Amino acid sequence: MHKVLRIALWAIAFIVALLVAATVAGFLAMRGSLPALDGDIKLTALSAPVSVTRDAQGTVAITAKAPLDAARALGYVHGQERFFEMDLTRRSAAGELSALLGAATLSMDKDKRRHRMRARMEQQLARTSSEERSWLTAYADGVNQGLAALSVRPWQYLLLRTQPNAWREVDSLLVVSEMYFMLQAGGYDSRYADIRLRALLGDRLFDWMRPLGGEWDAALDGSTIAQAALPTPTELDTRKALVPAKTAASLAASGVEAPSDRELMPGSNNWAVGGTRTA
């Protein structure tokens, strides 16, 4: 009996030691993949010293005498802090996620491959001017230096048991193309919904509920978007539960499907504010 107890205790101690060792190894690996936040770093190809600072929220500010130096320093910061996310973005655009994540993303890759974004961005890269290419090169060089300076590769690659691939100039263009896909996420269905909503609400109420922009937008060409006028109480009456018959008839005449009774049930009006509480 005592022999069995000793064996059980040794087994438990061994398992605990393994768990402690695994925890320590995981902690050291995670710590090794953290970016450098202090000190001086020798970044090759800089024409002058560059300052990288962070505010209380960790937002980076880069001060450089030459724009290409700033681009290279920005790449270094991104390579240290955001490389895995950058890798996913370029892979998603090119339809190459499955090479990293396996069969789970195969359908996504098949959908993206038909657009041939890597080939298209390679063609676009070949058409860029020497000045534009120098920006992409400086940024990519900074990214790869930042990644190489980490003591341990980003922890996501440790879990996936793989090594990250170097950043190339074309990858930055792939990120831009992936942003296009992300911004089109609603697809055509959302546009059809907008057409139907405008037919139901009318132009004034629709323009107020679905504005194209506002005072916080900063267009590159300096243009502004006028804010839609606030609807009158008659135009926006949340107590109306049904669409008038003439509206339903006009919808049918225009080929827009009329809403069902369930769709016309009064919904949440938590956004409404009493007149005594607002001007």
Side-chain angles (χ1 to χ4, degrees), residues 173-271:
L173 300 182
L174 282 169
V175 170
V176 175
S177 66
E178 178 62 8
M179 291 302 297
Y180 169 81
F181 283 115
M182 292 173 64
L183 293 173
Q184 304 301 319
Y188 293 106
D189 291 342
S190 63
R191 301 303 303 150
Y192 291 138
D194 282 348
I195 294 171
R196 187 161 178 256
L197 189 61
R198 184 182 287 277
L200 284 168
L201 301 178
D203 291 340
R204 271 178 53 82
L205 187 53
F206 177 86
D207 291 340
W208 178 74
M209 294 185 68
R210 298 295 297 270
L212 295 175
E215 60 180 320
W216 295 105
D217 291 293
L220 293 176
D221 61 0
S223 61
T224 58
I225 299 175
Q227 189 170 357
L230 185 69
T232 65
T234 303
E235 292 172 319
L236 183 57
D237 189 347
T238 59
R239 294 167 297 184
K240 294 179 181 178
L242 298 175
V243 173
K246 62 178 182 179
T247 303
S250 63
L251 287 175
S254 61
V256 178
E257 181 184 356
S260 64
D261 291 341
R262 181 176 180 83
E263 290 174 304
L264 294 174
M265 292 175 61
S268 169
N269 66 342
N270 290 342
W271 49 269

